[in-house]
Amino acid sequence: MPIRSEGRAEEAGEGGAGAGDFGEADRSKPRRPVFDWTRNDALVAIGAAVNDLIGYSLGAADDGRPVTVPALVLVVLAAPCLLARRARPVTVLGAVLVLGAALNLTTPQGPHFSAAYMVALYTVTRLRGPAVTAAAAVATVPLTVISGGHGDSSVLPGLLGNTLAVVLVVGTGLVVRRWQQEAEAKRTLLADRAVAEERRRIARELHDIVAHHITTMQLMAGGARANLAHDPGAAREALVTLEDSGRMALREMRQLLDVLRAGEEPEQVPPAPQPGTGDLGRIITESRLAGTPTEFTVRGTVRPLPPTVGLAVFRIVQEALTNSRKHAVGARAHVRLTYGPDGVDVEVRDDGARGTRPGASRPGTGGGYGLIGMRERVALQGGTLEAGSCDGGGFRVAARLPAGDPGGQ
């Protein structure tokens, strides 16, 4: 007769059986062992036995009746039946009603509704469907007022009292069951939202990694092809940059996959840190080698940033420079990083593509995945983002991110 610990086992017992399917038992699921009970089940059974014993003893004392051993045995026997109430709720209710009827027929006592009745009927209401619950309630009322002609001869008060007790027990079970259904639906909704948010985060990372590196590799390949005949040195340098960009893309993709697979298998080596503000120099160099003259300015006192803020700054600069190379060929870019007392500002601006008129809109500036990803990153950090065309031509992306203690995140 195994005794399970509380926690998940308890939820799987009452909550699991009721939350997943409040109707009839799912025949496709394996049935629980009859005596697979928890510590709480034992406490409920003991409490019901003590309550019924006290009630029977006080009732006998008030009526001047002797306390007999057979009556005590019948009262106590209902308690072990409650240990199987989760696995066989209808059977347990039937056994408790039979023992109660036997007690009423053999022992003179007044109308009563025992604690064993309440626990068994409540469990049926929680774990079975409306039809079974209604049948159990209808059967409970007459079986609890059966009498052998001893004691109180008034059946009507007992019938009314027990009917009210049944209504209260069934009503409580229905309310709790409804509450548990709503709680389970809320947990499912929160889990779905968490999964959707994780998918958006993964899509954001993949877009930033792939868009930046693929654009750089495409430009480097084009430059190498154009210079292959008359300037082999420049072509060789472009190919080296192309190789480095491909290697960096693979490394960042591997880091992202390691995060997704965390916990599935033990890691042999510690994961590489995510890029941050210290890696901006590499992005600036790649932008220059890809044909976009890029200036980089740092203002304020340089200090370590929280990892998530540093990653957000890195991705914003990476995506903004990628957009400049794609939509403003031949433009000059300016990256400015400003450290403030309570945050950091990052601005990426270009002077527009050759031949474009001032204030001309850029393709994809309305709702591209890059800008959406930047807005989501900034929003997650509690910052603000501005992105749009400049009056004098070009495009500007500016973000303000709060940055507290680097160890706080």
Side-chain angles (χ1 to χ4, degrees):
M1 190 180 297
I3 303 177
R4 296 183 301 143
S5 61
E6 301 307 314
R8 294 296 180 188
E10 179 70 15
E11 294 177 4
E14 184 169 345
D21 180 11
F22 288 108
E24 296 300 324
D26 189 351
R27 303 301 181 185
S28 62
K29 297 180 181 179
R31 303 187 70 182
R32 295 180 55 183
V34 176
F35 293 106
D36 185 16
W37 43 277
T38 67
R39 188 180 298 110
N40 276 357
D41 292 329
L43 293 176
V44 169
I46 293 173
V50 172
N51 183 281
D52 290 344
L53 284 174
I54 293 175
Y56 170 73
S57 301
L58 292 178
D62 290 340
D63 296 338
R65 294 180 281 104
V67 177
T68 62
V69 174
L72 294 177
V73 172
L74 291 174
V75 171
V76 173
L77 280 180
C81 297
L82 298 178
L83 296 177
R85 63 190 179 94
R86 299 183 190 275
R88 306 290 187 272
V90 177
T91 304
V92 168
L93 177 61
V96 171
L97 290 176
V98 169
L99 291 174
L103 176 64
N104 292 336
L105 291 174
T106 58
T107 303
Q109 58 181 333
H112 66 284
F113 196 85
S114 68
Y117 293 156
M118 289 189 290
V119 173
L121 182 59
Y122 173 81
T123 305
V124 171
T125 306
R126 286 288 314 281
L127 304 183
R128 290 296 180 263
V132 177
T133 300
V138 171
T140 300
V141 175
L143 289 177
T144 54
V145 296
I146 291 179
S147 175
H150 304 286
D152 189 0
S153 58
S154 177
V155 179
L156 183 59
L159 182 63
L160 294 177
N162 288 1
T163 301
L164 179 60
V166 168
V167 170
L168 291 176
V169 171
V170 172
T172 302
L174 293 176
V175 169
V176 174
R177 187 172 72 179
R178 178 63 178 174
W179 170 82
Q180 191 174 27
Q181 284 178 318
E182 294 177 352
E184 182 66 20
K186 186 176 181 180
R187 283 195 296 267
T188 302
L189 179 60
L190 292 177
D192 292 342
R193 288 180 178 176
V195 171
E197 178 61 29
E198 184 66 12
R199 287 176 176 172
R200 285 194 295 269
R201 187 187 70 83
I202 296 171
R204 208 162 48 229
E205 292 291 336
L206 286 175
H207 175 272
D208 291 345
I209 294 172
V210 173
H212 169 74
H213 290 291
I214 293 300
T215 301
T216 301
M217 294 166 67
Q218 179 185 4
L219 294 175
M220 290 295 100
R225 178 178 54 80
N227 296 317
L228 187 60
H230 62 276
D231 193 352
R236 185 181 299 106
E237 184 178 357
L239 290 175
V240 171
T241 304
L242 177 63
E243 181 183 5
D244 292 340
S245 184
R247 187 181 298 110
M248 183 63 63
L250 288 176
R251 187 168 65 188
E252 292 188 14
M253 289 286 291
R254 189 176 294 111
Q255 291 178 10
L256 181 59
L257 292 177
D258 288 341
V259 172
L260 297 178
R261 289 162 40 186
E264 294 182 1
E265 55 187 16
E267 297 183 357
Q268 302 298 327
V269 295
Q274 291 289 331
T277 54
D279 300 284
L280 290 179
R282 171 170 58 84
I283 299 297
I284 303 300
T285 301
E286 290 183 0
S287 179
R288 292 168 181 168
L289 293 175
T292 302
T294 306
E295 297 179 4
F296 182 37
T297 305
V298 179
R299 297 180 178 179
T301 303
V302 179
R303 68 179 188 276
L305 297 176
T308 54
V309 176
L311 178 61
V313 171
F314 179 85
R315 295 301 187 198
I316 290 172
V317 174
Q318 184 184 57
E319 178 61 27
L321 290 178
T322 300
N323 288 338
S324 296
R325 291 196 293 271
K326 290 169 58 178
H327 304 298
V329 179
R332 300 180 62 88
H334 306 269
V335 179
R336 184 171 64 188
L337 185 64
T338 304
Y339 289 90
D342 56 354
V344 60
D345 296 342
V346 57
E347 181 185 53
V348 182
R349 177 173 50 85
D350 62 65
D351 54 13
R354 295 173 183 173
T356 58
R357 65 182 184 276
S361 61
R362 178 174 300 180
T365 57
Y369 291 113
L371 288 178
I372 293 176
M374 283 191 283
R375 289 192 179 97
E376 290 178 348
R377 287 184 185 279
V378 173
L380 286 175
Q381 303 303 323
T384 58
L385 177 74
E386 297 178 2
S389 301
C390 302
D391 293 337
F395 197 80
R396 174 178 176 268
V397 175
R400 176 182 294 272
L401 300 170
D405 183 8
Q409 296 190 27

